[in-house]
Amino acid sequence: MGKMVKSVSLDIAIKDLMIPGNKVAIVQEGNTLEHALLVLTKSGYSAIPVLGREYKLKGLISMSLILDSILGIEKIEYDKLGERKVEEVMNKKVAWMKEDGSFFRGLELSINHPFLCIVDEDGVFVGILTRKSILAHVHKYLKYGIK
Ligand code: 4BW
């Protein structure tokens, strides 16, 4: 046997790079903007997934969407935080992939999206694929991959 050669492939399962759902900060439909603001602030992330019943992926909520929605003409209407629900404000256009999707598609989507939501065949949220984990894998491939 010759010397050991490390091999890194771009033909890798999305699941192997994904942050599993139980480690992702999320909010659910029905939650108030106040609750979402709390989760965003305490987690430190700028945008997080919104899930519906049975963990179905519904959208994304961000600090800027929340602040924009309570910005009145003359002042910030803080009382709206406890009245409005995340589904009224969330962005329904969310980048997503199925868990059996290709790494290459994930790389392509990550050009325009900081993270991609991963869903199973029933549309149930299973985790996220971050730009960081995609870049780290591309870096590993460029360093060690056999071309
Ligand atoms: O709290 C943090 N912990 C760590 N380890 N890194 C963080 C944290 N907050 C920000 N970062 C770093 C990451 O490198 O800043 C980047 C941009 O964060 P963001 O977008 O604007 O909050 C992070 O890059 P990333 O890991 O490639 O993540 C991309 C985006 O994915 C984040 C956030 O919107 C989402 N995200 C990542 N991990 C998450 C998450 N959302 C919910 N729960 C998680 N565990």
Side-chain angles (χ1 to χ4, degrees):
M1 293 285 270
K3 79 175 181 192
M4 277 278 288
V5 180
K6 284 184 205 167
S7 164
V8 180
S9 169
L10 290 186
D11 190 21
I12 184 180
I14 291 297
K15 264 195 151 175
D16 294 341
L17 295 177
M18 179 180 89
I19 298 179
N22 59 0
K23 298 220 171 95
V24 178
I26 57 110
V27 288
Q28 287 187 282
E29 277 184 336
N31 288 162
T32 60
L33 294 186
E34 187 173 30
H35 178 78
L37 197 59
L38 192 81
V39 177
L40 284 162
T41 307
K42 290 296 174 194
S43 68
Y45 295 112
S46 51
I48 55 174
V50 179
L51 306 183
R53 270 196 279 157
E54 286 154 6
Y55 267 55
K56 290 266 166 74
L57 177 63
K58 296 291 178 176
L60 294 183
I61 191 84
S62 67
M63 203 70 103
S64 60
L65 281 171
I66 295 175
L67 291 179
D68 187 56
S69 78
I70 63 165
L71 209 58
I73 293 167
E74 298 205 330
K75 63 177 182 68
I76 296 177
E77 296 164 345
Y78 291 103
D79 43 323
K80 296 267 186 343
L81 286 174
E83 295 163 10
R84 289 198 185 142
K85 308 286 185 201
V86 283
E87 57 269 35
E88 297 170 48
V89 171
M90 70 185 178
N91 185 355
K92 289 182 186 162
K93 275 195 198 150
V94 28
W96 63 276
M97 280 181 71
K98 288 200 184 151
E99 53 192 341
D100 61 356
S102 73
F103 175 79
F104 200 77
R105 178 69 181 139
L107 175 63
E108 192 177 25
L109 284 171
S110 77
I111 295 170
N112 288 319
H113 304 278
F115 69 96
L116 318 171
C117 291
I118 309 301
V119 299
D120 71 9
E121 59 279 5
D122 301 317
V124 173
F125 176 81
V126 291
I128 59 172
L129 189 61
T130 62
R131 201 178 260 165
K132 179 179 178 168
S133 64
I134 290 175
L135 267 182
H137 189 72
V138 170
H139 174 258
K140 205 170 171 188
Y141 175 76
L142 292 175
K143 203 166 176 188
Y144 303 114
I146 300 163
K147 284 148 270 169

